[in-house]
Amino acid sequence: MTLSPTARWTTGWLLAAAWALSFPLFSALAPHRLWGWCAAAGYLGAAAATALGRRRAALPAALLGAVAVPLLWLVLTGQGQSEVTVIERSGRLLLDSGRLYVDRPAQVEEYTPYLPGMALLGIPRALLGGDGSGDGWAVRLLGDARIWCAAALFGCLWAARRLLGGGPVGGPGGGPGGGPGRLLPVLVASPVVALPLAVSGVDLPLAGLCCLALAAAASGRPVLTGAALAGACALKWTALPAVAVAVALLAALRGGRPAVRCALVAVGGTALAVLPAALLQPAELWRQVFAFPTGRAPVPTPASSPLPGRLLAELGPWGWYLAMGLLLSGGLAVALSLLARPPRTVVAAADRLALGLTLAFLLAPAGRFGYLALPVLLSVWARSVAVAGVSRVVTGSFRLRPSDAGRPRARNERPGGHFA
């Protein structure tokens, strides 16, 4: 039996509400519990609006409950995950001393498991001053790292959509999601984006830059692709798989020379961003950015969800090496797949990157279930910019425009708007 669009969307909102309600019941973190109550109310409101035929009210209800209310409340009351404080501290250290990492950290809160680019998102707090307690609402709002993480995500997604020619905001589909263009606000309202946006925001800039890199590669812009990749790799080393995927996409669509140019820009930009910290604090860069996230630092990482790699690492040194071996094998398998069958569309590239990241997060010696939100975001984003009848493949100097969709092709014209 096939469900109607109304039934499907109502069920989806109800499932999101059930997921949100699990946080007040099982999470030990106060920001997560608050988000759960607010988001559940928003999702239940969206489900009720959809079921009653008021589809236009469903998405605003979800966005209000899952994003706007908890984000503003947590920001204005100075609550959030420790990642927010870590980003803001690194920005303050960068301005004060040019250094990013606490020397010889003794507690988990003193570790900064990010590369230097993340400190830029903490600079607004350092410039505005204050530590979050007793500050005015404007300082709290404009200085909070979550706001700048969200701005980076949405700015990158906007730019990526412009590169790909945009698409209809709505369309036939019979539900609150409308056409593919409406998938993006639904994605923002979903727990995949709404939860990290409200409580930490730390992975959002990385996700946005990866999306921008894939869009730039698909539109044949190697320098912009490399710059976006350099920005992502300057935030977290987990962005490295995106370099391989974007270069493979460029090579398949434009040839080897643009792909090499992209790779050089990505490597050079990353080196420029990371080299100062590597020269000033080489030991701390290694200890906090690489050893700590993989469970090899003196202080254990809090990323301890029972994923396969983590379970193997808990068996002892041989288990850790086995997990790392599986992790490297998974990366090699994805790399070989890029050589054997390189992606040729944004959706294919996003799915390949999502696969690689999923394997990495599952097999890493330390990880969290929340990390898996990034692969989901990439796959859904790619489909939100893919419009039926419009080619996202660039194979020459011409590209099919949205206005060309559905028009008859000339006898010697190939799919994608190219002529023989």
Side-chain angles (χ1 to χ4, degrees):
M1 182 179 67
T2 303
L3 294 176
S4 67
T6 297
R8 288 198 303 269
W9 280 99
T10 302
T11 302
W13 293 126
L14 289 175
L15 290 174
W19 175 253
L21 283 173
S22 69
F23 286 89
L25 297 176
F26 302 110
S27 178
L29 300 175
H32 284 204
R33 294 197 299 271
L34 175 72
W35 177 84
W37 287 120
C38 296
Y43 294 142
L44 289 174
T50 305
L52 294 174
R54 305 190 176 212
R55 297 170 183 167
R56 291 183 178 273
L59 186 55
L63 288 169
L64 181 66
V67 178
V69 171
L71 175 62
L72 289 175
W73 179 265
L74 291 172
V75 167
L76 295 178
T77 58
Q79 301 180 65
Q81 289 183 200
S82 60
E83 290 90 335
V84 181
T85 304
V86 169
I87 295 174
E88 294 174 358
R89 181 187 64 217
S90 62
R92 186 168 58 253
L93 285 173
L94 178 62
L95 286 184
D96 292 344
S97 63
R99 302 163 78 88
L100 297 169
Y101 306 105
V102 175
D103 288 321
R104 303 185 184 279
Q107 307 175 49
V108 66
E109 293 82 7
E110 295 178 342
Y111 278 79
T112 303
Y114 312 123
L115 288 166
M118 195 71 76
L120 298 178
L121 299 168
I123 287 180
R125 166 65 70 187
L127 292 175
L128 291 171
D131 58 1
S133 58
D135 299 330
W137 67 268
V139 172
R140 292 192 180 191
L141 184 63
L142 296 177
D144 196 282
R146 282 166 290 191
I147 300 300
W148 297 100
C149 288
L153 171 69
F154 296 138
C156 288
L157 294 184
W158 175 83
R161 193 165 187 79
R162 291 293 298 270
L163 286 172
L164 294 172
V169 175
R182 289 292 297 276
L183 280 177
L184 191 55
V186 172
L187 176 63
V188 173
S190 73
V192 172
V193 175
L195 174 60
L197 178 60
V199 302
S200 69
V202 67
D203 286 322
L204 300 182
L206 175 64
L209 285 167
C210 287
C211 293
L212 178 58
L214 295 181
S219 58
R221 291 171 171 84
V223 175
L224 179 57
T225 305
L229 291 171
C233 292
L235 297 175
K236 299 179 76 173
W237 59 268
T238 50
L240 290 174
V243 177
V245 174
V247 168
L249 179 61
L250 259 176
L253 300 182
R254 289 285 181 158
R257 186 170 296 179
V260 171
R261 192 182 311 141
C262 166
L264 291 175
V265 172
V267 172
T270 303
L272 287 175
V274 176
L275 190 58
L279 295 175
L280 285 173
Q281 296 179 283
E284 293 305 332
L285 178 67
W286 173 259
R287 180 183 296 115
Q288 300 189 38
V289 178
F290 296 99
F292 178 66
T294 56
R296 305 300 283 181
V299 176
T301 172
S304 56
S305 296
L307 297 170
R310 173 70 182 186
L311 297 176
L312 285 173
E314 289 179 345
L315 298 177
W318 69 269
W320 186 89
Y321 286 110
L322 178 59
M324 289 300 297
L326 292 174
L327 176 62
L328 294 175
S329 298
L332 179 61
V334 174
L336 292 175
S337 78
L338 292 173
L339 293 173
R341 191 176 180 183
R344 295 179 177 275
T345 65
V346 172
V347 172
D351 286 347
R352 198 74 58 89
L353 178 55
L355 174 61
L357 290 173
T358 299
L359 289 174
F361 295 148
L362 290 177
L363 298 175
R368 289 175 172 155
F369 286 116
Y371 294 166
L372 297 173
L374 177 55
V376 174
L377 190 156
L378 287 167
S379 290
V380 177
W381 164 80
R383 285 157 177 81
S384 77
V385 296
V387 181
V390 178
S391 173
R392 299 301 187 192
V393 180
V394 182
T395 56
S397 58
F398 297 95
R399 182 158 60 107
L400 183 64
R401 299 181 299 274
S403 60
D404 295 330
R407 67 169 174 82
R409 287 198 298 269
R411 191 163 54 91
N412 63 334
E413 184 181 357
R414 294 175 182 171
H418 306 281
F419 289 86

